[in-house]
Short mmCIF file of all heavy atoms in Angstrom, two decimals:
data_model
loop_
_atom_site.label_atom_id
_atom_site.label_comp_id
_atom_site.label_asym_id
_atom_site.label_seq_id
_atom_site.Cartn_x
_atom_site.Cartn_y
_atom_site.Cartn_z
N TYR A 303 14.82 6.89 4.67
CA TYR A 303 16.22 7.26 4.88
C TYR A 303 16.76 6.82 6.23
O TYR A 303 17.91 7.09 6.55
CB TYR A 303 16.40 8.77 4.67
CG TYR A 303 15.94 9.19 3.30
CD1 TYR A 303 14.79 9.95 3.13
CD2 TYR A 303 16.63 8.79 2.16
CE1 TYR A 303 14.35 10.31 1.86
CE2 TYR A 303 16.20 9.14 0.89
CZ TYR A 303 15.06 9.90 0.76
OH TYR A 303 14.63 10.25 -0.50
N GLU A 304 15.91 6.16 7.00
CA GLU A 304 16.38 5.60 8.28
C GLU A 304 17.18 4.34 8.01
O GLU A 304 17.02 3.69 6.97
CB GLU A 304 15.19 5.27 9.18
CG GLU A 304 14.46 6.46 9.74
CD GLU A 304 15.25 7.21 10.79
OE1 GLU A 304 16.26 6.69 11.30
OE2 GLU A 304 14.85 8.35 11.10
N THR A 305 18.01 3.98 8.96
CA THR A 305 18.78 2.74 8.82
C THR A 305 17.82 1.55 8.88
O THR A 305 16.73 1.65 9.47
CB THR A 305 19.81 2.60 9.96
OG1 THR A 305 19.10 2.49 11.21
CG2 THR A 305 20.75 3.79 9.99
N PRO A 306 18.21 0.43 8.29
CA PRO A 306 17.34 -0.75 8.36
C PRO A 306 17.01 -1.17 9.79
O PRO A 306 15.88 -1.57 10.09
CB PRO A 306 18.15 -1.83 7.64
CG PRO A 306 19.01 -1.07 6.69
CD PRO A 306 19.35 0.20 7.41
N MET A 307 17.98 -1.04 10.69
CA MET A 307 17.73 -1.41 12.09
C MET A 307 16.66 -0.50 12.70
O MET A 307 15.75 -0.97 13.40
CB MET A 307 19.02 -1.33 12.90
CG MET A 307 18.85 -1.78 14.34
SD MET A 307 18.24 -3.47 14.51
CE MET A 307 19.70 -4.38 14.15
N LYS A 308 16.74 0.79 12.42
CA LYS A 308 15.75 1.73 12.95
C LYS A 308 14.37 1.44 12.36
O LYS A 308 13.36 1.50 13.06
CB LYS A 308 16.18 3.17 12.62
CG LYS A 308 15.26 4.23 13.16
CD LYS A 308 15.26 4.29 14.66
CE LYS A 308 14.42 5.47 15.13
NZ LYS A 308 14.28 5.50 16.56
N GLN A 309 14.32 1.11 11.08
CA GLN A 309 13.04 0.77 10.46
C GLN A 309 12.42 -0.47 11.11
O GLN A 309 11.21 -0.52 11.33
CB GLN A 309 13.21 0.56 8.95
CG GLN A 309 13.51 1.84 8.20
CD GLN A 309 13.66 1.63 6.71
OE1 GLN A 309 13.42 0.55 6.19
NE2 GLN A 309 14.08 2.67 6.01
N LEU A 310 13.25 -1.46 11.40
CA LEU A 310 12.74 -2.66 12.08
C LEU A 310 12.25 -2.34 13.49
O LEU A 310 11.22 -2.87 13.93
CB LEU A 310 13.84 -3.73 12.14
CG LEU A 310 14.11 -4.47 10.84
CD1 LEU A 310 15.33 -5.35 10.98
CD2 LEU A 310 12.90 -5.29 10.43
N GLN A 311 12.97 -1.47 14.20
CA GLN A 311 12.55 -1.08 15.54
C GLN A 311 11.19 -0.37 15.50
O GLN A 311 10.33 -0.62 16.34
CB GLN A 311 13.61 -0.19 16.20
CG GLN A 311 14.87 -0.92 16.58
CD GLN A 311 15.97 0.03 17.03
OE1 GLN A 311 15.92 1.23 16.79
NE2 GLN A 311 16.98 -0.53 17.69
N ILE A 312 11.01 0.50 14.53
CA ILE A 312 9.75 1.22 14.39
C ILE A 312 8.62 0.24 14.06
O ILE A 312 7.53 0.31 14.64
CB ILE A 312 9.86 2.32 13.31
CG1 ILE A 312 10.80 3.41 13.79
CG2 ILE A 312 8.50 2.89 12.96
CD1 ILE A 312 11.20 4.40 12.71
N SER A 313 8.87 -0.70 13.15
CA SER A 313 7.87 -1.71 12.80
C SER A 313 7.50 -2.57 14.00
O SER A 313 6.33 -2.88 14.22
CB SER A 313 8.37 -2.59 11.66
OG SER A 313 8.47 -1.85 10.48
N LEU A 314 8.49 -2.95 14.77
CA LEU A 314 8.24 -3.76 15.96
C LEU A 314 7.41 -2.98 16.97
O LEU A 314 6.45 -3.52 17.54
CB LEU A 314 9.56 -4.21 16.59
CG LEU A 314 9.46 -5.02 17.87
CD1 LEU A 314 8.70 -6.32 17.61
CD2 LEU A 314 10.83 -5.31 18.44
N ALA A 315 7.74 -1.73 17.19
CA ALA A 315 6.97 -0.90 18.12
C ALA A 315 5.53 -0.74 17.65
O ALA A 315 4.59 -0.82 18.46
CB ALA A 315 7.64 0.46 18.29
N ASN A 316 5.33 -0.53 16.35
CA ASN A 316 3.98 -0.40 15.81
C ASN A 316 3.20 -1.70 15.99
O ASN A 316 2.02 -1.69 16.35
CB ASN A 316 4.01 -0.01 14.34
CG ASN A 316 4.45 1.42 14.12
OD1 ASN A 316 4.39 2.23 15.03
ND2 ASN A 316 4.90 1.72 12.93
N THR A 317 3.85 -2.82 15.74
CA THR A 317 3.20 -4.12 15.88
C THR A 317 2.81 -4.38 17.33
O THR A 317 1.70 -4.84 17.61
CB THR A 317 4.14 -5.23 15.38
OG1 THR A 317 4.48 -4.97 14.02
CG2 THR A 317 3.48 -6.60 15.49
N GLN A 318 3.72 -4.08 18.25
CA GLN A 318 3.41 -4.28 19.67
C GLN A 318 2.25 -3.39 20.11
O GLN A 318 1.40 -3.81 20.88
CB GLN A 318 4.65 -4.00 20.52
CG GLN A 318 5.71 -5.07 20.38
CD GLN A 318 7.01 -4.72 21.07
OE1 GLN A 318 7.33 -3.55 21.28
NE2 GLN A 318 7.79 -5.74 21.42
N SER A 319 2.19 -2.17 19.59
CA SER A 319 1.10 -1.26 19.91
C SER A 319 -0.24 -1.82 19.42
O SER A 319 -1.24 -1.77 20.14
CB SER A 319 1.37 0.11 19.29
OG SER A 319 0.27 0.94 19.44
#
Side-chain angles (χ1 to χ4, degrees):
Y303 303 110
E304 289 289 346
T305 64
M307 183 58 77
K308 182 67 174 174
Q309 290 181 8
L310 284 172
Q311 290 171 343
I312 292 169
S313 292
L314 178 61
N316 288 341
T317 302
Q318 289 172 335
S319 172

